[in-house]
Amino acid sequence: DAITDEGLAHFADYYASQTNGETISKEDLFYYIYGLLHSEDYRSRYADNLSKELPRIPRVKTYADFKHFSDAGRQLAHYHLNYESVEAYPVSFNTNLDQLTDTDFYVTKMKFGKGKGDDRHDKTTVIYNHKITLSGIPLEAYDYVVNGKAALDWVMERQSVKTDKDSGITNDANDWAIETMGNARYPLELFQRVITVSLATLKIVRGLPPLDIE
């Protein structure tokens, strides 16, 4: 868990008078940190520091808030670790085929639907391939950003067929889907599951308490 006894004591001793006999474990502290690092209040307040140095973890004033961050961290970890097995978000499938077979799920490059007016893209619609189009994608899902890019954009970028110009090596997501995952539908289902993860993450993060530190 990479948490020292001294680190645990720094928190446990502080909240000892507020816990009503409950003990704080290293696992509780681990998830507290994970929850805290997702706090929009924390990220904005310490944006300058976070751009230059390793994050520092403050103690929130109350045990109630500590527990809230810790419980939220557990929930976030559940979705972020199990993104490949969470329930797929129920998008609408548009296809001209009566029945889809594994070969119909071959993906080369997903792209957004055509937008209207000033909007170049309609992000509620994704053209998976020439046989399958997904619609009913909630725009809110694109608000979950990982390393400067929406998680869904990462999926669309990686679940594709690309040939490296320098090496000539082709990375084919379909090979991974079939040979490793044993599921030709994996790229499409991953997109659906990341919608679920994105929406759940946003709900949890937006429910975090304000950052009130000692």
Side-chain angles (χ1 to χ4, degrees):
D1 49 32
I3 293 175
T4 64
D5 293 339
E6 291 80 8
L8 177 61
H10 176 73
F11 286 84
D13 293 349
Y14 179 76
Y15 297 116
S17 63
Q18 304 178 42
T19 61
N20 292 321
E22 292 184 41
T23 58
I24 295 175
S25 68
K26 289 184 177 181
E27 188 174 275
D28 295 330
L29 180 53
F30 176 88
Y31 287 121
Y32 165 81
I33 294 169
Y34 197 63
L36 185 75
L37 292 177
H38 280 81
S39 164
E40 294 176 354
D41 195 359
Y42 174 83
R43 290 184 176 190
S44 60
R45 188 182 304 186
Y46 300 110
D48 290 341
N49 303 75
L50 293 169
S51 67
K52 302 170 186 174
E53 59 188 20
L54 291 174
R56 302 186 181 205
I57 307 301
R59 295 182 297 204
V60 290
K61 283 185 178 179
T62 67
Y63 175 66
D65 279 356
F66 173 91
K67 196 170 188 322
H68 193 144
F69 277 108
S70 184
D71 290 344
R74 286 177 188 273
Q75 295 174 49
L76 289 167
H78 163 74
Y79 285 103
H80 298 167
L81 290 172
N82 299 296
Y83 67 94
E84 291 181 308
S85 59
V86 297
E87 184 177 355
Y89 186 84
V91 298
S92 297
F93 291 86
N94 302 314
T95 179
N96 56 5
L97 300 176
D98 293 331
Q99 187 172 356
L100 294 168
T101 64
D102 284 353
T103 57
D104 296 320
F105 289 89
Y106 187 91
V107 61
T108 302
K109 181 178 176 61
M110 298 185 221
K111 58 183 180 181
F112 294 118
K114 187 176 181 180
K116 297 179 181 179
D118 295 332
D119 295 327
R120 292 177 53 199
H121 303 300
D122 173 12
K123 291 190 173 184
T124 67
T125 300
V126 166
I127 301 169
Y128 179 79
N129 59 24
H130 69 284
K131 298 179 180 179
I132 302 171
T133 296
L134 311 178
S135 60
I137 301 163
L139 289 175
E140 182 186 13
Y142 293 97
D143 291 340
Y144 175 43
V145 174
V146 179
N147 290 336
K149 185 184 296 186
L152 288 175
D153 287 339
W154 282 113
V155 176
M156 293 177 68
E157 179 180 301
R158 299 297 177 88
Q159 298 303 307
S160 61
V161 179
K162 282 185 178 181
T163 300
D164 183 78
K165 293 181 180 179
D166 296 327
S167 67
I169 296 174
T170 298
N171 291 314
D172 190 334
N174 302 282
D175 290 342
W176 170 268
I178 296 169
E179 297 170 9
T180 303
M181 303 305 296
N183 180 13
R185 303 180 180 216
Y186 175 80
L188 186 148
E189 291 178 354
L190 179 63
F191 186 85
Q192 290 180 267
R193 296 185 201 284
V194 173
I195 295 175
T196 298
V197 170
S198 298
L199 295 175
T201 297
L202 292 169
K203 182 177 180 180
I204 295 166
V205 168
R206 289 167 181 170
L208 289 172
L211 189 64
D212 186 13
I213 62 176
E214 59 165 320

